[in-house]
Structures are given as C-alpha cells and as structure tokens.
Amino acid sequence: MGLFDQIINAIDNPSQQGSTGQLGDIVNTVQQLSNRTGADPSTMQSVIGIVGSYVRSALQEKQAHDGNAEAQAVVNQYGGTSPSSQAVNSLFSLGMQRQVAEAVSQRTGLDAGMIEQLLPVLVPIVLNFLKTGASSQAGGNSVLNSFLDADNDGDVDIADAMQMATRYLGR
C-alpha cells in the first residue's frame, strides 16, 4: 500500500490523528511556498519529495539508534505547517542541511541558498504528513511505519502523496 493510501486510511480512521483539515493545511502551505518562491507547484512537490527522502534517512537512523519511540517523538513534536529550525536541527547537522539544499538545487534548478532557508518550513511539512497516522490513543503510527519500512529504493513517494492530496482536496 502506498504512502498516500496510508494517509487516506488514517484520515478515515477515527482512532488516528489524520484529517482532511490537516491535509488541506499541508497543501495550502505548499501552494504558499510555490507563490513565495516563484516555483511552480510540481517543482515544489519535487522539492518536498527530495527533502522527504533525506527526512526518511534521518528518521531511520534515529529509529535504529534510539528506537521507534524517538522517531515518533520527532514527528509528533515537529510535524506541522509552522516554520521550525528546531525540526531541521533535530534531524540534520549544518553540513547535512547544506547537502540536502545542494541535492534539491541540482535536481530542481532552484537556488540552494533559498532551499536552505526553506528547510524550516519543508521539514515540518514532511513530518506533518507522517503525523497523520499517529494514534489518537497510545500506540503506533501506520503512516510513519510505512514510510520508514520502505524498500530503500530512493523513491520516497512524499511528492506523489502531495500531488494526490492536492487532487483529493480538489485544489
């Protein structure tokens, strides 16, 4: 099952935190980023996908070293649509932040300096997608588990999930 399917299942499941309002906030934030940067929405979705692959690697590392609870804690604490440099710093060293920005720049043509400045918005958006699967009660997070247990082929479908969310919400 794809990541977007997991997100939709979380939205439909009253025992999980996901909602169409949360999805709408994510889509609106990405559209605002597109407007602010002058990048078209599909480029911004690609940016989110690339950043998402680095977030996945960082969360997998955190999970391997500190356990599932720590990876979930990062998602719960920093997932949202408000800028948070703490979210970026919790996952990436300064050198890694530059590496992420350079990778995004090489693949999208956007300025690496601008991408580095946008990371405090982009990382919480990715984490917010993952937060949709968190249980309203105590328990796991099906979306996060699906994201972290991916086949490591480098094809993180956050960008696809973003595109499908936009279509799902009719925007």
Side-chain angles (χ1 to χ4, degrees):
M1 180 182 300
L3 184 62
F4 187 71
D5 293 329
Q6 289 283 347
I7 292 168
I8 293 301
N9 286 341
I11 287 171
D12 290 341
N13 185 339
S15 68
Q16 291 180 298
Q17 292 181 14
S19 69
T20 54
Q22 181 182 11
L23 208 52
D25 289 345
I26 292 168
V27 169
N28 288 339
T29 302
V30 172
Q31 288 173 338
Q32 289 169 4
L33 280 176
S34 293
N35 294 339
R36 194 167 86 200
T37 62
D40 62 79
S42 65
T43 299
M44 195 53 64
Q45 290 169 3
S46 294
V47 168
I48 298 229
I50 298 163
V51 170
S53 67
Y54 283 93
V55 168
R56 179 173 63 180
S57 294
L59 285 172
Q60 285 173 328
E61 192 173 311
K62 190 168 281 301
Q63 181 186 43
H65 287 87
D66 304 323
N68 287 336
E70 283 302 311
Q72 181 65 56
V74 169
V75 170
N76 289 343
Q77 183 173 0
Y78 298 117
T81 54
S82 298
S84 172
S85 46
Q86 289 177 316
V88 179
N89 295 333
S90 74
L91 293 173
F92 306 127
S93 66
L94 286 176
M96 191 62 184
Q97 291 174 37
R98 286 186 200 99
Q99 185 178 341
V100 171
E102 286 295 328
V104 171
S105 176
Q106 288 173 2
R107 290 181 54 192
T108 65
L110 296 175
D111 179 68
M114 178 183 68
I115 296 301
E116 205 166 340
Q117 291 176 357
L118 290 177
L119 285 177
V121 177
L122 297 168
V123 170
I125 289 171
V126 171
L127 296 176
N128 200 11
F129 257 120
L130 302 178
K131 196 173 178 179
T132 60
S135 175
S136 301
Q137 296 85 26
N141 179 328
S142 60
V143 174
L144 177 62
N145 292 340
S146 175
F147 184 69
L148 295 179
D149 288 339
D151 57 8
N152 290 321
D153 66 356
D155 182 22
V156 178
D157 51 346
I158 286 277
D160 293 338
M162 183 71 227
Q163 188 175 35
M164 289 179 190
T166 302
R167 281 193 218 131
Y168 176 79
L169 295 171
R171 298 183 185 179

